[in-house]
Amino acid sequence: MQLTLENNKNTKSDKLPFSRTNPFQAKVLKNINLNGTSSSKETRHIELSLKGSGLSYVPGDALGVIPANDPELVAALIEEMKWDEEEVVTVGKQGETMPLKEALTTYLEITLLTKKILQQAAAFTENEELQKLVMIENASQLKEYCYGRDLLDMLRAFGPWKASAQDIVSLLRKMTARLYSIASSLTANPDEVHLTIGAVRYTAHGRDRKGVCSVLCAERVQEGDTLPVFVQANKHFFLPESQDKDIIMVGPGTGIAPFRSFIQERAVNKVTGRSWLFFGDQHAASDFLYQNELEKYQQDGVLTKLDTAFSRDSAQKVYVQHKMLENSKELFEWLENGAYFYVCGDKEHMAKDVNEALISVIEKEGALTRDAAEAYLKDMQQQGRYQRDVY
Ligand SMILES: Cc1cc2nc3c(=O)[nH]c(=O)nc-3n(C[C@H](O)[C@H](O)[C@H](O)COP(=O)(O)OP(=O)(O)OC[C@H]3O[C@@H](n4cnc5c(N)ncnc54)[C@H](O)[C@@H]3O)c2cc1C
């Protein structure tokens, strides 16, 4: 399948370096589901070729992917509004022109609804419900309306519309790139970049919803296709320069991604520093991402310690932070020995729980007050020894 993605032939400029505005069309070498058939999750392992791009990265960096919208959703929008898909519309600040279908597929965010979109859309309909919703005193209801809904919901709910395709297109934001923590080491995999992408699927307001980029990767990108990508350096997430430093990595779910890169890099460089990984997910049988690789690294001594927490395998839910607390004595010894501590993955819950657990470990094993434990952690942060890549 040839994806109809922006700039899909690397023709924009061969001279300019590839970047967010001039992405490289990376060929998909591999795209597999890491989860077992019984899993409620789908996590894709994707390998891309960077051959000929001149792009390079170091462990800790992210890859930006510029996605395209679901053709079924684009078709549903065109059908709903009885638009002509060939109609030429103007998009963006530079006033680029393209057929409507292309604009809705590759150029515009059609799954994101904002207060501003609804407020501006109110000028194109007399629908009383919408007029009421955009009144200043209803700001919180407006915000609530946007959550879990998209453009199609809005167009279906608040007609009849007195708007041209161009009027609606002008309300929409430009498609933004999605970032993914790089899951490979370039030293270990020359000319390649690997990603670990969790498919975002949920039901809201009676419709099944699909994350734009993650579901594109899960359902529509096949080996041999290309994806527009760029490298996004991350100055705040990196391996210690010194090869003899110990590292502790906490990366449940897709949070494992940068640590696969770290471990691969350290394996190639034959570093002397120890490494300890905490991984977690729902079930060991179906959700232990990269299990074989990790166990092999452990056997080979590249990974000194591997602790796992599978939350749905026991009556009492066990998470990575519980494994940290169980190992508090040894964990504190590693910290006292100068270890670097890394967290990657869920920002809302996991990263906060891990931060709390870390403070508890320092408090208990260092016989410190909570304030002193927090100061200890702050000091680690200032030394670059507590780094987070959370989203
Ligand atoms: C630095 C960085 C690194 C990252 N690394 C990775 C990685 O290694 N692997 C990975 O899988 N992801 C990673 N992400 C997240 C990734 O960038 C995307 O945000 C993710 O894949 C979703 O994008 P999408 O286009 O599929 O979904 P979108 O179309 O952008 O939709 C996602 C949005 O849907 C909404 N939503 C989700 N669930 C619900 C719900 N139940 N109800 C209502 N609304 C909901 C939320 O608003 C959410 O922001 C990273 C993010 C950052 C910033």
Side-chain angles (χ1 to χ4, degrees):
M1 181 183 74
Q2 177 65 61
L3 286 170
T4 322
L5 297 178
E6 192 182 50
N7 179 30
N8 68 356
K9 284 204 176 69
N10 290 328
T11 49
K12 192 169 175 181
S13 172
D14 291 339
K15 295 211 175 63
L16 281 175
F18 291 107
S19 63
R20 185 184 282 265
T21 50
N22 183 30
F24 174 68
Q25 290 294 329
K27 188 168 166 192
V28 180
L29 304 173
K30 194 171 182 180
N31 183 355
I32 56 164
N33 183 7
L34 294 174
N35 297 94
T37 44
S38 60
S39 179
S40 64
K41 296 187 170 188
E42 182 176 359
T43 315
R44 307 302 298 193
H45 170 75
I46 298 187
E47 299 187 359
L48 300 166
S49 171
L50 292 180
K51 216 178 196 135
S53 68
L55 289 173
S56 70
Y57 61 86
V58 293
D61 287 348
L63 194 78
V65 178
I66 300 172
N69 286 309
D70 181 356
E72 280 183 19
L73 185 60
V74 171
L77 277 169
I78 291 172
E79 165 70 25
E80 175 66 26
M81 299 302 282
K82 305 276 175 276
W83 282 330
D84 169 8
E85 63 178 43
E86 300 295 334
E87 181 183 335
V88 173
V89 290
T90 306
V91 292
K93 292 192 182 100
Q94 259 94 51
E96 223 177 307
T97 54
M98 62 185 75
L100 176 65
K101 186 176 168 189
E102 188 186 336
L104 294 174
T105 306
T106 63
Y107 201 88
L108 302 163
E109 287 278 1
I110 58 171
T111 56
L112 179 80
L113 211 50
T114 63
K115 289 197 279 181
K116 195 171 163 199
I117 292 176
L118 280 134
Q119 282 157 348
Q120 292 181 344
F124 301 113
T125 173
E126 280 163 16
N127 184 292
E128 280 177 22
E129 223 185 312
L130 182 58
Q131 301 307 330
K132 206 168 141 202
L133 195 59
V134 298
M135 284 161 83
I136 294 172
E137 58 268 36
N138 294 332
S140 62
Q141 284 97 316
L142 184 59
K143 190 173 170 205
E144 201 185 307
Y145 181 85
C146 294
Y147 185 72
R149 288 194 174 86
D150 65 9
L151 180 66
L152 184 59
D153 294 304
M154 182 192 86
L155 293 174
R156 282 181 176 164
F158 303 121
W161 294 92
K162 288 183 290 177
S164 64
Q166 180 66 60
D167 290 333
I168 300 297
V169 157
S170 301
L171 303 176
L172 305 176
R173 286 194 197 169
K174 191 177 188 304
M175 178 78 86
T176 52
R178 270 57 168 181
L179 295 178
Y180 295 96
S181 313
I182 290 175
S184 53
S185 145
L186 193 57
T187 327
N189 308 272
D191 284 333
E192 286 185 16
V193 61
H194 303 174
L195 304 176
T196 314
I197 303 185
V200 174
R201 294 189 179 97
Y202 57 98
T203 304
H205 310 289
R207 271 180 52 212
D208 291 338
R209 321 264 163 175
K210 296 173 175 185
V212 175
C213 192
S214 60
V215 175
L216 162 73
C217 292
E219 293 181 358
R220 304 195 305 281
V221 169
Q222 272 136 37
E223 289 165 16
D225 291 341
T226 57
L227 275 176
V229 304
F230 60 92
V231 171
Q232 174 85 44
N234 187 349
K235 290 196 181 70
H236 306 288
F237 204 75
F238 51 87
L239 276 167
E241 253 175 57
S242 167
Q243 311 257 331
D244 59 358
K245 293 287 180 209
D246 296 340
I247 59 171
I248 302 167
M249 302 163 282
V250 182
T254 55
I256 185 70
F259 303 134
R260 184 174 181 267
S261 170
F262 279 22
I263 296 164
Q264 285 187 352
E265 180 89 358
R266 283 174 56 115
V268 173
N269 293 337
K270 298 194 167 48
V271 303
T272 53
R274 296 174 300 170
S275 53
W276 185 353
L277 174 69
F278 290 89
F279 176 75
D281 214 313
Q282 292 186 345
H283 299 286
S286 57
D287 306 319
F288 194 164
L289 310 181
Y290 303 113
Q291 178 176 9
N292 293 344
E293 281 181 25
L294 293 172
E295 287 176 350
K296 176 93 179 29
Y297 279 128
Q298 198 182 10
Q299 278 160 20
D300 296 348
V302 175
L303 192 55
T304 320
K305 278 176 75 72
L306 172 61
D307 277 284
T308 54
F310 292 101
S311 59
R312 309 269 169 103
D313 282 349
S314 52
Q316 195 99 30
K317 286 190 175 163
V318 182
Y319 294 109
V320 280
Q321 64 269 22
H322 299 123
K323 290 287 158 186
M324 287 168 58
L325 294 169
E326 265 176 36
N327 289 277
S328 71
K329 190 164 182 291
E330 195 173 356
L331 208 150
F332 187 65
E333 280 167 11
W334 280 51
L335 295 181
E336 282 285 273
N337 200 37
Y340 281 57
F341 189 95
Y342 300 90
V343 189
C344 179
D346 173 58
K347 185 169 156 183
E348 279 306 303
H349 306 286
M350 185 276 296
K352 287 179 188 154
D353 294 340
V354 166
N355 188 70
E356 249 334 284
L358 199 49
I359 293 171
S360 298
V361 166
I362 297 165
E363 207 177 332
K364 180 177 167 218
E365 304 300 338
L368 298 171
T369 61
R370 166 130 192 150
D371 282 355
E374 281 177 8
Y376 184 105
L377 201 55
K378 203 162 180 200
D379 193 39
M380 275 181 60
Q381 210 158 8
Q382 274 159 2
Q383 292 170 32
R385 286 178 45 228
Y386 178 28
Q387 300 180 21
R388 291 154 38 113
D389 175 21
V390 295
Y391 45 85

